[in-house]
């Protein structure tokens, strides 16, 4: 039996959640070597099949059964008809497009169905990528506007060119989405444009924009449809004055006042962008801390202190009860979670609704093939990412776990490896989280609160950036590093960092 090379060498990008680092040049050489090796595997598989046929007729009858078993092992997931495909991936976000490319590299005849005009899903088009472009450029503007003078750099006539900033964001998005199209072409992944619906255990129908349909017969189906913005009851988003995380990326002017519902990862990142550009930003959060679920409380408190110093305002343990538009102005009604009698109204030009995301699992034909969803709309799966229908799989935001692009990518890689017979395993305790503000916040593993509630004995190691030479040199000393280790074995249980260096 021919051994496959390690999964981490089969994809041109670094695979996450593994203790491995490669230089670009070494990774490129490995990728080329593995590419030719995979081509040889295809040739050898073809030779094995022909050899089995010859030996059937030969005197080596006692070897016939063994050869048949070997051939079945390597071809069980592959289609035998030119009209069929081995795998249809529904969705081309980070999980979907990575899975599709990986599957094709492993020899599967792969089709990716995408409902939007461009590839890349929410992350590349209206999520991670455009928000990071605005975060970076708004930080540069903030430095020039507020910090250059103290660093000995005098700038005259500084002004914000918001249309040009939006154009740079647009360029970044188009170059990356176009890059996926090139990767599909070079890896022989077929792209079908249309809304993918499962119309049978082995069938996906793509409804195209012109109303026509394309039916695809397939051995396996992978659902990678991602997530969508969670609506706020009673508040209708118009993407002009009351905006979601999509609309706020394309505002035509900097608002004087902005209220953000939700001080989680998305709310803090996008609130920071417009605060740096000149808006007065107030974040209303139901919880008693900022940063969302999973952040260490000590890190969260430091984070809030730093952002407050930057100009953001916070109303914690506070819930929004409604919002009313009066022309171009919006009045947001809020009340205390602990004492509902404490109420007030906040005025703003733009209201950003950032209360999370929900799985995009509607209109996929799940119930028709016997796949039920849980109360949150997620698709239940087993340890191999298989749904209630054995040849239909699901990954990413539409299943359990954090809605993170890198988590979906690794699930996509491991899932298609499992389809071809390889072992399936991901350690979800090693999935990192990041907030791309300044300073940035990142963590992996357990928080101090997690360990205390679990009764685990641990030690804490901390180092503040104020004592770091590089941080002092850069005049950017806010933040700290915090490591949590097992008290007996020193095993690292959690790592947390907030800093700009």
């Amino acid at each position: 039996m021919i051994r496959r090379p390690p999964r981490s060498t089969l994809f041109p990008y670094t695979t996450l959640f593994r203790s491995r680092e490669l230089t670009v040049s070494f990774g490129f050489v490995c990728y080329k070597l593995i590419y030719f090796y995979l081509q040889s595997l295809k040739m050898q598989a073809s030779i094995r099949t022909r050899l089995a046929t010859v030996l059937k007729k030969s005197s080596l009858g006692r070897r016939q059964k063994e050869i048949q078993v070997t051939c079945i092992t390597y071809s069980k997931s592959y289609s035998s008809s030119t009209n069929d495909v081995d795998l249809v991936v529904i969705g081309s976000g980070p999980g979907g497009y990575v899975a599709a490319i990986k599957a094709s590299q492993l020899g599967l005849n792969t089709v990716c169905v995408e409902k939007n005009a461009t590839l890349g899903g929410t992350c590349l088009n209206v999520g991670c990528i455009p928000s990071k472009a605005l975060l970076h450029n708004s930080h540069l503007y903030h430095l020039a506007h507020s910090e250059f003078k103290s660093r000995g750099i005098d700038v005259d006539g500084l002004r914000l060119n918001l249309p040009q900033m939006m154009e740079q964001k647009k360029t970044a998005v188009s170059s990356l989405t176009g890059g996926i199209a090139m990767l599909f072409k070079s890896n022989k992944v077929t792209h079908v444009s249309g809304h993918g619906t499962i119309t049978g255990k082995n069938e996906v129908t793509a409804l195209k924009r012109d109303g026509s349909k394309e039916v695809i017969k397939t051995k396996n189906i992978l659902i990678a449809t991602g997530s969508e913005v969670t609506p706020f009851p009673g508040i209708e988003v118009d993407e002009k004055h009351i905006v979601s995380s999509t609309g706020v990326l394309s505002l035509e002017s900097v608002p004087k006042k902005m209220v953000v519902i939700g001080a989680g990862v998305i709310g803090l990142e996008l609130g920071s962008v417009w605060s740096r550009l000149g808006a007065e930003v107030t974040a209303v959060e139901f919880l008693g801390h900022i940063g969302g679920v999973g952040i260490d409380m000590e890190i969260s408190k430091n984070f809030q202190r730093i952002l407050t110093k930057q100009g953001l305002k916070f109303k914690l343990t506070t819930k929004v009860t409604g919002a009313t538009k009066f022309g171009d102005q919006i009045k947001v009604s809020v009340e205390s979670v602990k004492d509902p009698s404490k109420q007030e109204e906040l005025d703003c030009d733009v209201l950003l609704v950032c209360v999370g995301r929900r799985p995009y699992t509607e209109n996929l034909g799940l119930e028709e093939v016997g796949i039920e969803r849980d109360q949150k709309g997620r698709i239940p799966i087993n340890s191999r990412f298989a749904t209630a229908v054995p040849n239909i799989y699901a990954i990413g935001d539409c299943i359990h776990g954090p809605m993170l692009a890198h988590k979906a990518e690794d699930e996509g890689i491991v899932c298609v490896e499992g389809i071809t017979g390889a072992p399936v395993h991901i350690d979800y305790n090693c999935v990192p989280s990041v907030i791309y503000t300044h300073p940035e916040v990142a963590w992996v593993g357990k928080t101090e609160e997690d360990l205390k509630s679990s009764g685990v004995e641990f030690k804490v190691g901390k180092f503040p950036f104020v004592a770091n030479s590089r941080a002092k040199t850069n005049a950017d000393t806010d933040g700290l590093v915090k490591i949590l280790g097992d008290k007996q074995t020193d095993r690292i249980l959690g790592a947390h960092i907030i800093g700009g260096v």
Side-chain angles (χ1 to χ4, degrees):
M1 182 174 178
I2 298 175
R3 297 183 61 188
R4 293 184 178 87
R7 64 166 64 104
S8 58
T9 63
L10 291 175
F11 194 73
Y13 302 118
T14 302
T15 303
L16 298 168
F17 321 144
R18 292 165 177 81
S19 300
R20 178 180 59 83
E21 293 182 1
L22 291 176
T23 62
V24 173
S25 57
F26 180 66
F28 178 78
V29 172
C30 286
Y31 172 64
K32 283 297 183 183
L33 290 174
I34 297 304
Y35 173 81
F36 291 117
Y37 178 64
L38 287 173
Q39 297 303 312
S40 69
L41 279 181
K42 292 180 181 179
M43 293 176 62
Q44 291 175 39
S46 176
I47 292 171
R48 274 198 309 276
T49 304
R50 291 199 295 270
L51 182 61
T53 303
V54 173
L55 290 177
K56 268 185 179 181
K57 303 175 182 178
S58 72
S59 60
L60 298 178
R62 63 181 181 274
R63 295 283 294 167
Q64 179 179 342
K65 184 176 180 181
E66 180 182 345
I67 293 171
Q68 287 176 336
V69 171
T70 303
C71 291
I72 291 172
T73 301
Y74 278 89
S75 63
K76 65 180 182 180
S77 298
Y78 304 163
S79 65
S80 57
S81 170
T82 55
N83 296 323
D84 292 354
V85 299
D86 299 311
L87 176 66
V88 171
V89 180
I90 305 177
S92 70
Y97 87 77
V98 168
I101 293 172
K102 182 68 173 181
S104 185
Q105 290 174 345
L106 291 176
L108 298 178
N109 183 6
T110 306
V111 171
C112 183
V113 180
E114 172 56 53
K115 64 181 177 64
N116 294 322
T118 54
L119 300 171
T122 295
C123 180
L124 270 71
N125 289 278
V126 291
C128 318
I129 298 305
S131 65
K132 302 311 169 285
L134 292 181
L135 278 161
H136 179 68
N137 291 330
S138 64
H139 177 60
L140 294 179
Y141 174 77
H142 171 75
L143 288 176
H145 184 272
S146 305
E147 294 190 25
F148 273 8
K149 188 175 183 64
S150 65
R151 296 172 184 272
I153 306 172
D154 291 330
V155 180
D156 295 325
L158 177 69
R159 64 185 179 87
L160 173 66
N161 187 341
L162 187 60
Q164 182 57 39
M165 185 177 287
M166 292 297 176
E167 187 61 31
Q168 193 279 330
K169 174 205 71 174
K170 187 177 178 181
T171 300
V173 170
S174 60
S175 64
L176 287 170
T177 55
I180 298 175
M182 292 177 61
L183 284 172
F184 272 13
K185 185 176 181 180
S186 62
N187 285 279
K188 297 179 174 58
V189 175
T190 303
H191 170 211
V192 173
S193 181
H195 184 280
T197 303
I198 301 171
T199 49
K201 179 182 176 183
N202 298 102
E203 182 180 279
V204 173
T205 299
L207 177 61
K208 298 179 177 294
R209 291 179 180 270
D210 61 5
S212 62
K213 296 180 179 180
E214 182 174 347
V215 178
I216 310 164
K217 301 291 185 180
T218 178
K219 292 284 184 180
N220 301 286
I221 299 170
L222 175 56
I223 303 167
T225 48
S227 59
E228 62 182 353
V229 172
T230 300
F232 192 97
I235 298 179
E236 185 177 349
V237 171
D238 59 19
E239 299 297 16
K240 290 184 178 180
H241 299 289
I242 301 178
V243 298
S244 68
S245 57
T246 299
V248 77
L249 296 170
S250 303
L251 294 180
E252 296 179 353
S253 62
V254 179
K256 292 181 180 179
K257 292 184 178 181
M258 173 183 284
V259 171
V260 181
I261 305 178
V265 175
I266 299 174
L268 293 177
E269 287 184 351
L270 298 176
S272 290
V273 167
W274 295 103
S275 174
R276 295 167 184 169
L277 298 180
E280 182 183 315
V281 177
T282 301
V284 181
E285 173 56 53
F286 186 86
L287 300 176
H289 67 273
I290 69 171
V293 178
I295 192 171
D296 185 271
M297 288 301 102
E298 182 179 12
I299 298 296
S300 178
K301 289 176 182 178
N302 277 271
F303 193 21
Q304 183 180 345
R305 176 182 58 80
I306 295 168
L307 292 183
T308 300
K309 189 168 62 175
Q310 292 178 4
L312 275 78
K313 299 177 181 179
F314 297 98
K315 290 187 175 295
L316 306 182
T317 58
T318 303
K319 69 177 181 179
V320 174
T321 57
T324 307
K325 281 183 63 177
F326 295 96
D328 292 339
Q329 295 295 306
I330 304 167
K331 286 190 178 293
V332 184
S333 302
V334 301
E335 67 180 30
S336 170
V337 173
K338 297 179 179 178
D339 184 1
S341 64
K342 294 182 179 179
Q343 302 176 353
E344 65 175 310
E345 287 189 339
L346 306 175
D347 296 327
C348 63
D349 308 299
V350 172
L351 173 62
L352 170 58
V353 181
C354 269
V355 292
R357 300 184 64 83
R358 63 183 182 184
Y360 185 85
T361 52
E362 295 283 352
N363 302 318
L364 296 179
L366 299 179
E367 285 74 14
E368 285 77 0
V369 291
I371 299 175
E372 300 294 333
R373 295 173 295 161
D374 66 13
Q375 293 180 343
K376 294 184 178 181
R378 300 173 300 190
I379 301 173
I381 57 168
N382 63 17
S383 60
R384 299 183 68 84
F385 300 100
T387 65
V389 180
N391 70 311
I392 301 179
Y393 304 82
I395 61 166
D397 290 2
C398 62
I399 65 170
H400 63 80
M403 292 183 174
L404 299 170
H406 47 276
K407 175 249 193 189
E409 288 175 352
D410 215 49
E411 287 176 340
I413 291 173
V414 174
C415 176
V416 296
E417 286 179 341
I419 291 174
T420 60
V424 175
H425 173 70
I426 291 181
D427 185 353
Y428 286 101
N429 191 51
C430 296
V431 179
S433 295
V434 186
I435 305 177
Y436 289 94
T437 49
H438 188 91
E440 293 185 356
V441 180
W443 66 89
V444 64
K446 304 296 184 183
T447 66
E448 189 169 343
E449 291 71 34
D450 291 334
L451 297 176
K452 287 179 179 178
S453 63
S454 301
V456 177
E457 293 187 336
F458 63 95
K459 295 185 290 185
V460 181
K462 288 186 285 189
F463 191 88
F465 278 115
V466 71
N468 178 269
S469 300
R470 177 69 187 281
K472 279 186 172 293
T473 303
N474 289 2
D476 197 357
T477 57
D478 286 325
L480 71 145
V481 177
K482 179 178 181 179
I483 305 295
L484 305 174
D486 187 277
K487 189 173 183 179
Q488 304 301 324
T489 65
D490 279 339
R491 177 189 176 192
I492 294 178
L493 303 175
H496 309 265
I497 184 171
I498 175 172
V501 178

